[in-house]
Amino acid sequence: MNIILLGPPGAGKGTQARFLVDERNMIQLSTGDMLREAKDSGTEMGNIVADVMAKGELVTDEIVIGLIREKLQGDKQGGVIFDGFPRTLAQADALATLLDDCGETLDAVIEMQVDDEALVDRITARSTCGNCGEVYNDHTKPIPDDGVCTNCCEKAEFKRRADDNADSLKQRLMEYYKKTSPLLGYYYAKGQLRSVDGLGEMADVKAAIARVLDA
Ligand code: ADP
């Protein structure tokens, strides 16, 4: 089963993707994570994307489609969760072709609906464990006082993303509404769009996604 998690920055796509990886043996393809890895590795591509990401703008279709193409050649285990991809209509068309080329289908596109106020709150309060990527939130799930991650049980460095600040976030939201939200109509017209309320507790959102996938 191959699915897309679609929603604005901070909707909780990454958190839910991690649940699906643990419970359904799926693999998560997050273009955001891939681009951050490229950025940290200091490659030529990494240096090109670093500036674009920090500003909250979209990296070129050519680069992200290339990253996904490469990953789709590997083991897909119980299926692929596309997290943060596609983000433009050109990427959506490219994904259809890539899946077709490897004999795969797209089974569902899950829209995670969250209101804009909640997004700003979530993103400006978020940090992640440097070891395992577990997501923390200053209000709802603060970093433990002893500095030991509750997920991997390691003493960890907790990181905030360079683009999780008010200015970049404004730009990321603008990019979402201008370039990514048309994908809702695109997948609706294809009969593949399913929407869940992304505002509730993590466990409730997880249950809503499970209902969609098991329907
Ligand atoms: P979020 O969903 O919280 O904005 P991501 O980790 O998915 O975060 O993406 C971070 C940044 O990486 C984006 O703001 C953009 O610059 C870049 N990026 C990620 N995925 C794509 C994509 N599919 N197309 C273009 N740029 C992307």
Side-chain angles (χ1 to χ4, degrees):
M1 167 172 277
N2 302 308
I3 64 167
I4 294 172
L5 293 181
L6 191 60
K13 304 181 294 284
T15 301
Q16 295 299 328
R18 289 165 66 84
F19 289 140
L20 294 168
V21 167
D22 289 346
E23 293 175 12
R24 295 182 187 240
N25 189 33
M26 297 176 81
I27 61 163
Q28 175 188 11
L29 295 189
S30 158
T31 40
D33 287 349
M34 292 176 208
L35 291 167
R36 275 185 288 279
E37 264 170 39
K39 190 181 89 176
D40 293 344
S41 69
T43 56
E44 193 186 339
M45 194 255 273
N47 295 335
I48 295 171
V49 301
D51 188 41
V52 177
M53 290 175 78
K55 284 195 220 146
E57 291 168 5
L58 292 190
V59 171
T60 62
D61 288 337
E62 196 191 352
I63 289 180
V64 289
I65 292 166
L67 288 170
I68 290 286
R69 181 184 294 119
E70 205 176 296
K71 295 280 179 183
L72 281 179
Q73 281 156 13
D75 183 4
K76 291 178 266 302
Q77 299 183 25
V80 180
I81 308 150
F82 295 97
D83 163 11
F85 179 91
R87 258 175 156 96
T88 62
L89 290 167
Q91 291 177 23
D93 282 336
L95 177 61
T97 307
L98 288 175
L99 286 172
D100 211 32
D101 287 350
C102 56
E104 296 280 337
T105 51
L106 180 63
D107 300 287
V109 178
I110 301 180
E111 177 200 8
M112 301 182 61
Q113 296 176 321
V114 186
D115 72 49
D116 294 336
E117 290 289 313
L119 296 175
V120 176
D121 263 11
R122 277 186 185 183
I123 287 190
T124 49
R126 111 174 138 181
S127 53
T128 53
C129 167
N131 284 330
C132 72
E134 181 74 359
V135 181
Y136 289 83
N137 178 291
D138 296 342
H139 313 302
T140 56
K141 186 176 166 187
I143 295 167
D145 288 339
D146 59 4
V148 175
C149 172
T150 52
N151 182 53
C152 66
C153 302
E154 299 277 339
K155 185 117 183 131
E157 200 186 317
F158 295 89
K159 301 183 184 168
R160 285 194 196 267
R161 271 171 45 176
D163 59 350
D164 276 353
N165 61 71
D167 281 347
S168 298
L169 179 56
K170 220 156 96 191
Q171 185 60 31
R172 281 156 66 200
L173 274 177
M174 190 60 87
E175 294 281 59
Y176 177 78
Y177 285 114
K178 278 165 66 176
K179 298 177 184 161
T180 308
S181 65
L183 296 184
L184 296 170
Y186 173 98
Y187 287 117
Y188 174 79
K190 287 188 160 210
Q192 290 172 310
L193 189 71
R194 306 284 177 274
S195 298
V196 301
D197 179 2
L199 256 192
E201 297 284 321
M202 270 192 295
D204 296 337
V205 179
K206 182 177 158 192
I209 292 176
R211 279 196 294 279
V212 168
L213 298 184
D214 298 332

